[in-house]
Structures are given as structure tokens and as C-alpha cells.
Amino acid sequence: MSNEKNVAEQEEAVDTLQNEQSDADVEIVDAEVIEDAPEAGDESEQKIAELQAKLDETENKMLRAQADFDNFKRRSRLDQEAAQKYRAQSLVSEIIPALDNFERALQIEADNDQTKSLLQGMNMVYNQLVQALKNEGVEAINSVGEQFDPHLHQAVMQIEDENYESNSVVEELQKGYKLKDRVIRPAMVKVNQ
Amino acid sequence: MSNEKNVAEQEEAVDTLQNEQSDADVEIVDAEVIEDAPEAGDESEQKIAELQAKLDETENKMLRAQADFDNFKRRSRLDQEAAQKYRAQSLVSEIIPALDNFERALQIEADNDQTKSLLQGMNMVYNQLVQALKNEGVEAINSVGEQFDPHLHQAVMQIEDENYESNSVVEELQKGYKLKDRVIRPAMVKVNQ
């Protein structure tokens, strides 16, 4: 752009100069114009400048595109890793309430052999389920006896008892679960002040 | 699968096209250099030809990079969609054997009130589990009464009985499961010839 502008200004200057000259001088002026050769050389230089500018621009675009690509690849990889890592989260969240009920049902005390035998079988099923979840990275959150941790525990009751450490979990009211390093459900606990 | 193949074919086509283009460009540039070389203003002409060649090359590289980026984006999206769709597969595969045992345990006939009550509770837990799996896209494969389908059923026994339709499933020996459109485990069945 600035090149084109310079050329236009030069041409205008030459025109002005020519108009100021007398007819007698015209030949000399013409000779000078040819000598200075703004024609052949200039045109090439202009072309070179244009090409160089376009090349620079394209190379910059290219570098930018490459950087965008690299960023996209990196982000995409991180997204995929996270999606892979927590892939079971949705199903795990749905299974946890069933586990709660399973545990409650297992807590009865058998008063006959058939119930005892059924409980035994159901305990095996329960353990198999817990193992399946564990294999996918699901684990119950430790609570009783631990220091209260607001990331892992949700305090729903408080007591004041000198027999327990300060700020420790004294009872678990509902199990909490983690999927790898992500808390799926905090444990509901009773805390000592 | 056919999508991936199409993408691969497209990529190949783009590569071929670009290679052809850059070959063609190189020829033209060479021709210009040879034609213009012996004339005056040699240096400028040569510089222009060099710049033009470099510009063409860079523009081609840029087109190729852009095509690569687009292909990567498309493939990446397809991969993510598939990973998302079947995200629960690993956990589902581990849970299915526990479900088998759960069903077996539920089949006893209660001879007292406590067992009856426990069975009731366990049936609720079982249904809750099945519902959780269903919400993630897991369903049992229909078999008894259906036409035998080798994609869904695994024939482990055969009978010859005029009372059943030919090639139909007459008994299910083990439940099969699908996760959305993917068979996680075929049903083990008895088929009529």
C-alpha cells in the first residue's frame, strides 16, 4: 500500500516539474526520466517488495495456524484424558444410591437358616459389585477417626466430647465415594468440635 | 468405521492434489527462470522468481497445514463422540457377572417371613441397579421367542421340536446385554433347528 502511494507521489512530482519547464527543456527532462529509469528497475523493485510482503504475511499466517493446531492438539489430548479418567462417573453416581440400600438391607440379623444363607449370598454379590467399582477407580471415603476435611466430609451434626480429638469425625451417617481423585459424593458425618 | 475410512481417503486425495499442485507450480517457476534468465535486469528477475516460488511453496504448505488441522478436528470429534457413547462399557462389563449372581440369589423360594422381607428389599435393590444401568444405555437382549441372531445370541444347545418355529430361541441359559448399539455380552441360548 505505502509503495503504491510513494509511486503516485513521485509521478505527481515529475508532472509538476515537467509543467514548470519550458518547451526547450522538455527533451532534457525526458532524458532525465529515462536515465533515472523509474520504469524497468522500479517495477521490479516494487514487485519484489510486494512479493516479500506477501511472503512475510503468509509465513506469519502459517506460524499462527501451526500454533493454533498445536494448541488444539494439546487441549484435545487433555480433554480426552479427563473424559477417559472419569468415564464411569455418570453410572457410578447412579449406582451409589443402590449401594446404600444394599448395605441397609444386609444389616438385618438372620433368625433362621434360610435368611442366613440368603444374606451370605447377597454379601458375595455386594462385594462383587464393590470390587467392580473399585476396578474402575471408585472407593469409599474414609471418615470415622479422620480429621474433618470439608472436601471429603459434609458435617451434618456436631458434638462436644473430650474423648475425641478436636475437629475429628466421630460418626459416619452416609458413606461418601471418590472416583479416582474426584469426590462423587462427600461422606455425611458427625464432627467433634 | 466407514467414516474413518472416508477421512483417510479424503486425506490421501488432498495430499495427492497438493503434491500435484506444487509439482505444477515448480515447473512453471522453473520455466520462468529459464526464459527470463538470459535477459538484462537479471538479478531482479531472478529474485522475483525466487520469491514467487517461495510464496507458492509457503501457500501450499499453509493449505496442507489447514487441511491437516481440519482433518484432525473432525477425527478428534468422532473419537470423542465414540468415547462418550460407550464410556460406561468397562464398568458395565464388570457389573454384569454380579447381576448374574444377584438374579440367582433372588430365585430362592422364601419359607419364612424374614426371608420374604429380605427378598423384597433385595428385589428393590436389584431393580434400582438395573435402572441405573438402563439410564446409561444398558439393556438386556431379548431372546426367548425371537429368531436366532448370531450378533445377539450365542447358541450353546440345539433341539428339534415341531412346536417351535424353525431357528427360534426356545430357552435363555444366560442373559445377554447391550450398551446402546454395542453387544457387551451375547445371550447364551438354546435354539430350535
Side-chain angles (χ1 to χ4, degrees):
Chain A
M1 277 301 194
S2 72
N3 277 334
E4 280 174 43
K5 207 178 159 195
N6 285 341
V7 169
E9 278 170 5
Q10 276 182 332
E11 280 173 348
E12 216 175 296
V14 169
D15 279 351
T16 311
L17 207 69
Q18 282 175 339
N19 287 340
E20 280 170 6
Q21 303 291 331
S22 67
D23 285 346
D25 294 331
V26 165
E27 275 176 21
I28 296 162
V29 169
D30 281 346
E32 274 176 356
V33 167
I34 292 161
E35 240 179 0
D36 285 346
E39 296 160 15
D42 246 13
E43 223 173 276
S44 296
E45 262 167 54
Q46 196 182 327
K47 178 86 180 160
I48 287 169
E50 269 171 25
L51 280 171
Q52 189 60 57
K54 205 160 177 200
L55 183 59
D56 290 349
E57 193 193 330
T58 309
E59 273 171 349
N60 273 331
K61 258 194 211 161
M62 167 96 177
L63 285 176
R64 238 185 338 255
Q66 218 117 44
D68 285 349
F69 193 4
D70 289 343
N71 280 331
F72 185 89
K73 273 202 245 185
R74 196 178 48 243
R75 243 179 306 141
S76 174
R77 189 171 45 74
L78 292 175
D79 285 354
Q80 268 173 333
E81 279 170 7
Q84 180 68 4
K85 187 170 179 185
Y86 305 115
R87 61 189 177 180
Q89 180 167 354
S90 162
L91 181 52
V92 168
S93 303
E94 298 243 23
I95 284 175
I96 287 172
L99 274 192
D100 292 340
N101 289 332
F102 210 148
E103 283 164 29
R104 262 192 286 275
L106 288 174
Q107 269 161 14
I108 62 157
E109 209 152 314
D111 61 17
N112 66 83
D113 284 350
Q114 198 189 30
T115 304
K116 207 176 278 181
S117 155
L118 178 56
L119 271 179
Q120 223 166 29
M122 285 303 177
N123 258 302
M124 284 174 55
V125 172
Y126 173 79
N127 289 329
Q128 208 178 351
L129 260 179
V130 167
Q131 187 59 49
L133 288 163
K134 197 174 178 177
N135 291 347
E136 189 65 24
V138 179
E139 289 201 62
I141 289 169
N142 291 326
S143 55
V144 176
E146 306 280 318
Q147 275 290 299
F148 174 74
D149 178 344
H151 299 298
L152 304 172
H153 309 129
Q154 186 188 347
V156 289
M157 286 173 81
Q158 262 192 341
I159 55 159
E160 227 180 313
D161 189 332
E162 286 180 3
N163 296 317
Y164 294 104
E165 266 186 70
S166 163
N167 206 36
S168 71
V169 174
V170 297
E171 198 185 328
E172 183 183 71
L173 304 166
Q174 188 187 55
K175 251 189 195 170
Y177 288 95
K178 280 196 304 182
L179 171 58
K180 290 159 192 179
D181 54 3
R182 188 180 279 179
V183 174
I184 301 298
R185 187 177 79 181
M188 286 203 320
V189 297
K190 194 195 275 185
V191 186
N192 191 33
Q193 278 195 311
Chain B
M1 278 303 192
S2 73
N3 274 335
E4 280 175 42
K5 208 179 154 197
N6 284 340
V7 169
E9 277 169 11
Q10 277 182 332
E11 280 175 342
E12 222 174 287
V14 168
D15 278 348
T16 311
L17 204 71
Q18 282 169 344
N19 287 339
E20 279 170 11
Q21 267 183 346
S22 59
D23 283 350
D25 289 341
V26 167
E27 276 171 35
I28 291 163
V29 169
D30 284 345
E32 278 175 355
V33 169
I34 291 161
E35 253 182 325
D36 296 345
E39 284 172 31
D42 231 4
E43 231 171 87
S44 296
E45 294 291 335
Q46 203 177 330
K47 177 86 182 160
I48 287 170
E50 267 170 26
L51 280 171
Q52 188 62 54
K54 202 156 179 205
L55 181 58
D56 290 346
E57 194 195 328
T58 309
E59 275 172 347
N60 274 328
K61 259 195 212 161
M62 168 99 179
L63 283 175
R64 225 168 7 238
Q66 217 116 45
D68 285 348
F69 192 5
D70 288 344
N71 281 329
F72 184 89
K73 272 200 245 184
R74 196 176 46 242
R75 246 180 303 144
S76 172
R77 189 170 45 75
L78 291 175
D79 286 353
Q80 267 173 334
E81 280 171 6
Q84 178 69 5
K85 187 170 178 185
Y86 304 116
R87 61 189 176 180
Q89 180 165 355
S90 163
L91 180 53
V92 168
S93 303
E94 299 243 24
I95 284 174
I96 288 172
L99 274 192
D100 292 340
N101 289 331
F102 209 148
E103 284 165 27
R104 262 191 287 276
L106 289 174
Q107 270 160 16
I108 63 159
E109 210 154 313
D111 62 16
N112 65 82
D113 283 350
Q114 198 190 30
T115 305
K116 207 177 279 180
S117 155
L118 177 56
L119 271 179
Q120 223 166 28
M122 285 304 176
N123 258 304
M124 282 173 56
V125 171
Y126 173 79
N127 288 331
Q128 207 179 352
L129 260 181
V130 167
Q131 186 59 49
L133 288 163
K134 197 175 179 176
N135 290 347
E136 189 66 24
V138 180
E139 288 201 63
I141 290 168
N142 292 327
S143 56
V144 176
E146 305 280 318
Q147 276 290 296
F148 174 74
D149 178 345
H151 299 297
L152 302 173
H153 308 128
Q154 186 188 348
V156 290
M157 288 174 82
Q158 263 193 340
I159 56 160
E160 226 181 312
D161 189 331
E162 287 181 0
N163 296 317
Y164 295 104
E165 266 187 70
S166 163
N167 204 37
S168 72
V169 174
V170 296
E171 198 184 325
E172 183 182 72
L173 305 165
Q174 189 186 55
K175 251 189 195 172
Y177 288 95
K178 281 194 304 181
L179 171 58
K180 290 162 191 176
D181 53 4
R182 188 179 278 180
V183 174
I184 301 298
R185 187 177 80 180
M188 286 204 319
V189 297
K190 194 194 277 186
V191 186
N192 192 33
Q193 277 198 310

